[in-house]
Amino acid sequence: NGVSAAYSSIVGGYNNSVSGSYGIVAGGANNEIEGQFGVILSGHDNTAEGYASIAHGISNHSGFNTSDSASIAIGIRNLASARSATAIGYENDVRGVGASAIGYMNEARGNYGFAAGSGSHANASQTVAIGTRARANHSGSVVICATNNSSPADTIGTANNAGIVMLAERGMFLTNQFGQATWDQTKLLNTSTGAYLSNGGAWTNTSDSTRKTNIRLLDSSLVLANIRQLTISEWEYIDDEGGARHIGPMAQEFHSVFGLGHDATSISTIDPAGVALSGIQALAAENDALKERIRVLEDLVNQLVEAQP
């Protein structure tokens, strides 16, 4: 063991060296501290090169030069080679300022990035990559990947800056309730409410009678009369950069006429369908009444014709 800097010490171990002042090696073998205030707890072949850097385990390297501060490398063959970088686990590679990687063979080479899981990369600035081989390669993006696929290929990645990408190989479950999550793995998005998004892209609302209360029958003719009051127009959303056109009523008028929904600025997907079905029933009743009236008139005409001499 060798100490060549002031106020430094080596507690034990073999072939350890400290060349940065105020450093300490607690034990192990072939460990080296080069920056001031460095700490190596134990293990072997670790290097704490940066200022106030920490290394522990096997063949870890914290810091890039003696001016890099507060980097941490703990585990096996981790690299934390930037200011305030953190690498914990197995063969994580962190080269971004303030970046962190935790787990197995992750990379965080973008400044202030975070990678966790297995083989995930946060290689652009201010990115997050979590899961298995998630790729956050565009600035400000977040990628979350849930899969047990063992393929070496990338599982999912971003294509643009400041986006969020989620991959759930067996579907996702969204809930505001505590307890064990169980869901249909053939659906892309399941919810504790019963509503779901199918793999085919169809959103399905829950309509289970056991989830409903205060049920009242409707006067379909009144619903039809209210439909006639609505202004149905063609429009586009102000914030829709694509300029897609839509047809429908305004939420304020819809709420005023039917009194449905939580507020006057939105329309649920289920209410227009219910209104339309009720209106169709009223039209069907009117159609049946007209058919009956026509039948009676035709019978009367036939009787008059037969009565002619």
Side-chain angles (χ1 to χ4, degrees), residues 278-300:
S278 183
I280 290 169
Q281 286 184 333
L283 289 174
E286 288 183 1
N287 190 48
D288 289 342
L290 288 172
K291 286 181 178 179
E292 178 61 21
R293 184 177 180 183
I294 291 172
R295 186 192 66 78
V296 171
L297 291 174
E298 287 178 341
D299 288 346
L300 180 58

Side-chain angles (χ1 to χ4, degrees), residues 46-63:
N46 298 293
T47 301
E49 185 177 358
Y51 179 90
S53 293
I54 298 173
H56 169 69
I58 300 173
S59 299
N60 298 289
H61 192 120
S62 61

Side-chain angles (χ1 to χ4, degrees), residues 218-238:
L218 294 174
D219 182 346
S220 59
S221 62
L222 179 58
V223 173
L224 181 59
N226 287 336
I227 292 175
R228 290 193 176 102
Q229 297 180 41
L230 283 178
T231 302
I232 307 299
S233 54
E234 182 180 329
W235 42 267
E236 63 186 65
Y237 286 107
I238 294 173

Side-chain angles (χ1 to χ4, degrees), residues 118-144:
S118 174
S120 292
H121 295 177
N123 286 340
S125 64
Q126 297 174 307
T127 55
V128 175
I130 298 175
T132 302
R133 295 183 306 282
R135 297 290 190 264
N137 293 328
H138 293 78
S139 179
S141 61
V142 176
V143 179
I144 300 174

Side-chain angles (χ1 to χ4, degrees), residues 82-302:
R83 186 177 297 109
S84 301
T86 301
I88 299 175
Y90 180 85
E91 289 193 4
N92 296 290
D93 185 340
V94 181
R95 306 187 189 191
V97 173
S100 300
I102 300 174
Y104 179 82
M105 299 184 72
N106 301 293
E107 294 181 6
R109 299 186 179 184
N111 292 342
Y112 313 108
F114 177 78
S118 174
S120 292
H121 295 177
N123 286 340
S125 64
Q126 297 174 307
T127 55
V128 175
I130 298 175
T132 302
R133 295 183 306 282
R135 297 290 190 264
N137 293 328
H138 293 78
S139 179
S141 61
V142 176
V143 179
I144 300 174
C145 179
T147 179
N148 57 6
N149 192 323
S150 60
S151 168
D154 296 351
T155 50
I156 192 68
T158 53
N160 297 289
N161 294 340
I164 297 177
V165 177
M166 298 179 66
L167 183 147
E169 188 177 16
R170 299 296 179 87
M172 290 181 281
F173 183 76
L174 184 64
T175 183
N176 60 358
Q177 303 172 2
F178 296 100
Q180 181 70 36
T182 58
W183 66 89
D184 184 348
Q185 296 183 0
T186 65
K187 298 180 175 68
L188 176 61
L189 176 60
N190 298 262
T191 73
S192 58
T193 66
Y196 64 88
L197 178 64
S198 72
N199 284 330
W203 178 258
T204 302
N205 295 297
T206 183
S207 194
D208 185 352
S209 62
T210 62
R211 289 179 172 267
K212 300 175 182 178
T213 187
N214 196 19
I215 300 170
R216 294 177 291 178
L217 296 178
L218 294 174
D219 182 346
S220 59
S221 62
L222 179 58
V223 173
L224 181 59
N226 287 336
I227 292 175
R228 290 193 176 102
Q229 297 180 41
L230 283 178
T231 302
I232 307 299
S233 54
E234 182 180 329
W235 42 267
E236 63 186 65
Y237 286 107
I238 294 173
D239 295 329
D240 188 351
E241 296 179 359
R245 303 291 292 173
H246 303 277
I247 294 176
M250 300 301 162
Q252 291 84 347
E253 185 182 14
F254 189 84
H255 188 268
S256 175
V257 170
F258 293 105
L260 301 173
H262 288 289
D263 55 59
T265 58
S266 60
I267 301 175
S268 78
T269 57
I270 198 169
D271 289 332
V275 167
L277 288 173
S278 183
I280 290 169
Q281 286 184 333
L283 289 174
E286 288 183 1
N287 190 48
D288 289 342
L290 288 172
K291 286 181 178 179
E292 178 61 21
R293 184 177 180 183
I294 291 172
R295 186 192 66 78
V296 171
L297 291 174
E298 287 178 341
D299 288 346
L300 180 58
V301 169
N302 291 332

